[in-house]
Structure formats: structure tokens, C-alpha cells
Amino acid sequence: WVGVKPFKKNKNFQRMIMDFLTNMKISASGLAVQRKRMETISSNLANMETTRTPEGGPYRRKDVLITALPLENEFGNTFKNELGDKLSRVQVADVIEDQSEPRLVYNPKHPDANDLGYVALPNIDQMTEIVNMVTTQRSFEANITALNASKAMAIRAIDLGR
């Protein structure tokens, strides 16, 4: 630790570092949500042809319900920016099942065909899932970019504070 200067005992400097940590917490919550969205999309794509589930009937498409929550610090106070606006993080509120009817496909030789020869298949549209996957990937990348930018700014601020 020889030659390392101690941080300045400056409230503005400490507040600035906390603001960078706040940015990182918000970006990290976005990463977690996008990871869960990707898991759900993967499950939907993997089960496009699943006709039997433990609940009975075909697999039902899943979707992630996302909610914004106020960002709170360790003391339970809500962070506010200079304008007084409350900052929010995101969180997965629930994973919901699509309640629309399954697709009926005529295939009388399928073991799950009904008396008329129709098989109930999951209500999953492959193109919709792929679009959702690309959107999720871009959102994940945007959160990584924001996280890296906050990290770089914090490192630069620490260097200036020495």
C-alpha cells in the first residue's frame, strides 16, 4: 500500500461513488430480468411440440411479467436524483402461462390425437419467440453496456479522488 493516497473525506465524492453503485444496481436488475426472459423463451422453443404435460394437455406458452420497484439503499431510504425523481429497478413479478387455446393439427396417427384425428399442440409461434429472443439479447447487451459505462466512470472518479 506504499504510495497509495487515501480517499478524500468529501461528502460530494462519497455521494458520487454511491450514485455509480446505484447505476450498477439498476443495470444488474435489468440483467437478471433479461436472463429470466431468455430462460422462458428457451423453454417455449424447446416445448413447441410437447403434447403431454404433468398438468395434462399440451405445454402452455410462458411469459415473464416484469415490474418496476423503487431502488432502496441499506437504510430503507429511497434514492432520488437531483430532480427528486425516484429511481427504479426491475424485477420479475411472475412467470405466467398463456391461456389461449392450443393449436389443433390434423394427424390421426399421432398417439395423442382425439376421436376426430386432431392433436392439440402448444400455442407457440416460433417467429414470435425468435423476435422476443433477439429483443431480450439486445436488452441484455444494453444493460451490460450501461454497467460497463458506470464502472468506467466510477474508476475514473476514484482515480480523480486520489
Side-chain angles (χ1 to χ4, degrees):
W1 296 99
V2 176
V4 175
K5 297 178 187 176
F7 290 115
K8 294 178 182 177
K9 302 278 184 184
N10 181 331
K11 284 191 175 198
N12 287 334
F13 179 74
Q14 291 173 348
R15 181 170 174 249
M16 180 176 55
I17 297 300
M18 288 302 293
D19 286 345
F20 288 125
L21 293 176
T22 300
N23 296 343
M24 290 180 196
K25 286 180 183 178
I26 293 170
S27 294
S29 72
L31 290 171
V33 165
Q34 299 311 322
R35 181 189 52 78
K36 187 62 175 178
R37 284 185 70 203
M38 189 60 81
E39 288 174 2
T40 305
I41 293 165
S42 296
S43 177
N44 289 341
L45 289 170
N47 285 287
M48 283 186 60
E49 301 294 325
T50 302
T51 58
R52 296 180 191 175
T53 62
E55 297 83 22
Y59 176 87
R60 291 202 174 263
R61 181 181 179 277
K62 310 263 187 296
D63 205 357
V64 177
L65 181 62
I66 303 167
T67 187
L69 296 173
L71 184 65
E72 296 180 355
N73 67 12
E74 298 78 32
F75 304 108
N77 298 324
T78 303
F79 281 113
K80 293 184 179 182
N81 68 14
E82 289 75 28
L83 300 175
D85 297 331
K86 293 180 182 179
L87 300 178
S88 298
R89 62 184 175 87
V90 292
Q91 179 177 311
V92 174
D94 199 6
V95 176
I96 56 174
E97 283 188 354
D98 186 340
Q99 295 303 312
S100 62
E101 292 297 317
R103 294 181 294 128
L104 293 178
V105 176
Y106 185 72
N107 185 355
K109 294 184 181 184
H110 192 283
D112 290 328
N114 65 16
D115 295 339
L116 300 174
Y118 287 93
V119 179
L121 292 174
N123 52 352
I124 298 170
D125 178 51
Q126 186 176 20
M127 292 310 294
T128 299
E129 297 303 320
I130 290 172
V131 168
N132 288 342
M133 183 172 37
V134 170
T135 303
T136 300
Q137 180 182 3
R138 297 294 181 253
S139 295
F140 190 88
E141 290 168 356
N143 278 292
I144 288 176
T145 300
L147 185 66
N148 286 335
S150 294
K151 183 174 76 171
M153 292 170 65
I155 290 169
R156 181 69 180 133
I158 290 170
D159 289 343
L160 290 173
R162 291 184 179 177

PDB file of all heavy atoms in Angstrom, residues 1 25 27 37 41 46 55 63 78 117 143 160:
ATOM      1  N   TRP A   1       0.806  -1.191   0.000  1.00  0.00           N
ATOM      2  CA  TRP A   1       0.000   0.000   0.000  1.00  0.00           C
ATOM      3  C   TRP A   1       0.851   1.258   0.000  1.00  0.00           C
ATOM      4  O   TRP A   1       0.359   2.350   0.221  1.00  0.00           O
ATOM      5  CB  TRP A   1      -0.938   0.008   1.188  1.00  0.00           C
ATOM      6  CG  TRP A   1      -1.935  -1.110   1.117  1.00  0.00           C
ATOM      7  CD1 TRP A   1      -1.872  -2.298   1.756  1.00  0.00           C
ATOM      8  CD2 TRP A   1      -3.125  -1.139   0.349  1.00  0.00           C
ATOM      9  NE1 TRP A   1      -2.934  -3.073   1.448  1.00  0.00           N
ATOM     10  CE2 TRP A   1      -3.747  -2.369   0.566  1.00  0.00           C
ATOM     11  CE3 TRP A   1      -3.740  -0.268  -0.516  1.00  0.00           C
ATOM     12  CZ2 TRP A   1      -4.932  -2.727  -0.028  1.00  0.00           C
ATOM     13  CZ3 TRP A   1      -4.918  -0.628  -1.109  1.00  0.00           C
ATOM     14  CH2 TRP A   1      -5.498  -1.839  -0.855  1.00  0.00           C
ATOM     15  N   LYS A  25     -26.553  -1.168  -9.660  1.00  0.00           N
ATOM     16  CA  LYS A  25     -27.646  -1.988  -9.124  1.00  0.00           C
ATOM     17  C   LYS A  25     -28.818  -2.032 -10.103  1.00  0.00           C
ATOM     18  O   LYS A  25     -29.429  -3.078 -10.304  1.00  0.00           O
ATOM     19  CB  LYS A  25     -28.118  -1.439  -7.777  1.00  0.00           C
ATOM     20  CG  LYS A  25     -27.174  -1.700  -6.639  1.00  0.00           C
ATOM     21  CD  LYS A  25     -27.720  -1.116  -5.345  1.00  0.00           C
ATOM     22  CE  LYS A  25     -26.747  -1.308  -4.201  1.00  0.00           C
ATOM     23  NZ  LYS A  25     -27.237  -0.710  -2.956  1.00  0.00           N
ATOM     24  N   SER A  27     -28.686  -1.566 -13.408  1.00  0.00           N
ATOM     25  CA  SER A  27     -28.281  -2.373 -14.571  1.00  0.00           C
ATOM     26  C   SER A  27     -28.264  -3.859 -14.224  1.00  0.00           C
ATOM     27  O   SER A  27     -28.682  -4.691 -15.040  1.00  0.00           O
ATOM     28  CB  SER A  27     -26.907  -1.939 -15.065  1.00  0.00           C
ATOM     29  OG  SER A  27     -26.954  -0.625 -15.570  1.00  0.00           O
ATOM     30  N   ARG A  37     -36.062 -13.870 -18.863  1.00  0.00           N
ATOM     31  CA  ARG A  37     -36.809 -13.853 -20.119  1.00  0.00           C
ATOM     32  C   ARG A  37     -36.226 -14.857 -21.101  1.00  0.00           C
ATOM     33  O   ARG A  37     -36.954 -15.580 -21.783  1.00  0.00           O
ATOM     34  CB  ARG A  37     -36.788 -12.450 -20.744  1.00  0.00           C
ATOM     35  CG  ARG A  37     -37.720 -11.472 -20.072  1.00  0.00           C
ATOM     36  CD  ARG A  37     -37.762 -10.139 -20.801  1.00  0.00           C
ATOM     37  NE  ARG A  37     -38.451 -10.306 -22.081  1.00  0.00           N
ATOM     38  CZ  ARG A  37     -38.279  -9.504 -23.122  1.00  0.00           C
ATOM     39  NH1 ARG A  37     -37.429  -8.497 -23.064  1.00  0.00           N
ATOM     40  NH2 ARG A  37     -38.941  -9.703 -24.235  1.00  0.00           N
ATOM     41  N   ILE A  41     -38.085 -18.014 -22.882  1.00  0.00           N
ATOM     42  CA  ILE A  41     -38.137 -18.175 -24.341  1.00  0.00           C
ATOM     43  C   ILE A  41     -37.555 -19.523 -24.745  1.00  0.00           C
ATOM     44  O   ILE A  41     -38.127 -20.233 -25.588  1.00  0.00           O
ATOM     45  CB  ILE A  41     -37.394 -17.014 -25.033  1.00  0.00           C
ATOM     46  CG1 ILE A  41     -38.144 -15.698 -24.807  1.00  0.00           C
ATOM     47  CG2 ILE A  41     -37.197 -17.292 -26.519  1.00  0.00           C
ATOM     48  CD1 ILE A  41     -37.325 -14.454 -25.121  1.00  0.00           C
ATOM     49  N   ALA A  46     -38.227 -25.011 -26.811  1.00  0.00           N
ATOM     50  CA  ALA A  46     -37.945 -26.432 -26.600  1.00  0.00           C
ATOM     51  C   ALA A  46     -39.226 -27.267 -26.531  1.00  0.00           C
ATOM     52  O   ALA A  46     -39.212 -28.456 -26.847  1.00  0.00           O
ATOM     53  CB  ALA A  46     -37.132 -26.618 -25.324  1.00  0.00           C
ATOM     54  N   GLU A  55     -49.554 -31.537 -15.934  1.00  0.00           N
ATOM     55  CA  GLU A  55     -50.852 -30.923 -15.643  1.00  0.00           C
ATOM     56  C   GLU A  55     -51.941 -31.459 -16.563  1.00  0.00           C
ATOM     57  O   GLU A  55     -53.127 -31.224 -16.342  1.00  0.00           O
ATOM     58  CB  GLU A  55     -50.776 -29.394 -15.800  1.00  0.00           C
ATOM     59  CG  GLU A  55     -49.826 -28.707 -14.848  1.00  0.00           C
ATOM     60  CD  GLU A  55     -48.378 -28.741 -15.332  1.00  0.00           C
ATOM     61  OE1 GLU A  55     -48.132 -28.904 -16.551  1.00  0.00           O
ATOM     62  OE2 GLU A  55     -47.488 -28.624 -14.477  1.00  0.00           O
ATOM     63  N   ASP A  63     -44.701 -16.595 -20.295  1.00  0.00           N
ATOM     64  CA  ASP A  63     -44.229 -15.229 -20.490  1.00  0.00           C
ATOM     65  C   ASP A  63     -43.858 -14.657 -19.128  1.00  0.00           C
ATOM     66  O   ASP A  63     -44.409 -15.059 -18.104  1.00  0.00           O
ATOM     67  CB  ASP A  63     -45.300 -14.370 -21.155  1.00  0.00           C
ATOM     68  CG  ASP A  63     -44.732 -13.199 -21.917  1.00  0.00           C
ATOM     69  OD1 ASP A  63     -43.500 -12.996 -21.892  1.00  0.00           O
ATOM     70  OD2 ASP A  63     -45.518 -12.467 -22.545  1.00  0.00           O
ATOM     71  N   THR A  78     -35.354   5.731  -0.036  1.00  0.00           N
ATOM     72  CA  THR A  78     -35.395   5.652  -1.490  1.00  0.00           C
ATOM     73  C   THR A  78     -34.416   6.648  -2.076  1.00  0.00           C
ATOM     74  O   THR A  78     -34.401   7.811  -1.705  1.00  0.00           O
ATOM     75  CB  THR A  78     -36.820   5.949  -1.989  1.00  0.00           C
ATOM     76  OG1 THR A  78     -37.711   5.032  -1.381  1.00  0.00           O
ATOM     77  CG2 THR A  78     -36.903   5.824  -3.492  1.00  0.00           C
ATOM     78  N   GLY A 117     -59.157 -37.093 -34.923  1.00  0.00           N
ATOM     79  CA  GLY A 117     -57.840 -37.141 -35.545  1.00  0.00           C
ATOM     80  C   GLY A 117     -57.000 -35.880 -35.341  1.00  0.00           C
ATOM     81  O   GLY A 117     -55.950 -35.738 -35.952  1.00  0.00           O
ATOM     82  N   ASN A 143     -27.896  -3.406 -21.088  1.00  0.00           N
ATOM     83  CA  ASN A 143     -27.641  -3.353 -19.645  1.00  0.00           C
ATOM     84  C   ASN A 143     -26.161  -3.584 -19.344  1.00  0.00           C
ATOM     85  O   ASN A 143     -25.607  -2.960 -18.436  1.00  0.00           O
ATOM     86  CB  ASN A 143     -28.515  -4.367 -18.904  1.00  0.00           C
ATOM     87  CG  ASN A 143     -29.899  -3.837 -18.670  1.00  0.00           C
ATOM     88  OD1 ASN A 143     -30.103  -2.908 -17.911  1.00  0.00           O
ATOM     89  ND2 ASN A 143     -30.871  -4.421 -19.360  1.00  0.00           N
ATOM     90  N   LEU A 160      -9.537  10.220  -9.804  1.00  0.00           N
ATOM     91  CA  LEU A 160      -9.512  11.671  -9.578  1.00  0.00           C
ATOM     92  C   LEU A 160      -9.521  12.006  -8.089  1.00  0.00           C
ATOM     93  O   LEU A 160      -8.985  13.029  -7.664  1.00  0.00           O
ATOM     94  CB  LEU A 160     -10.711  12.339 -10.251  1.00  0.00           C
ATOM     95  CG  LEU A 160     -10.684  12.369 -11.775  1.00  0.00           C
ATOM     96  CD1 LEU A 160     -12.003  12.908 -12.311  1.00  0.00           C
ATOM     97  CD2 LEU A 160      -9.520  13.189 -12.280  1.00  0.00           C
TER      98      LEU A 160
END
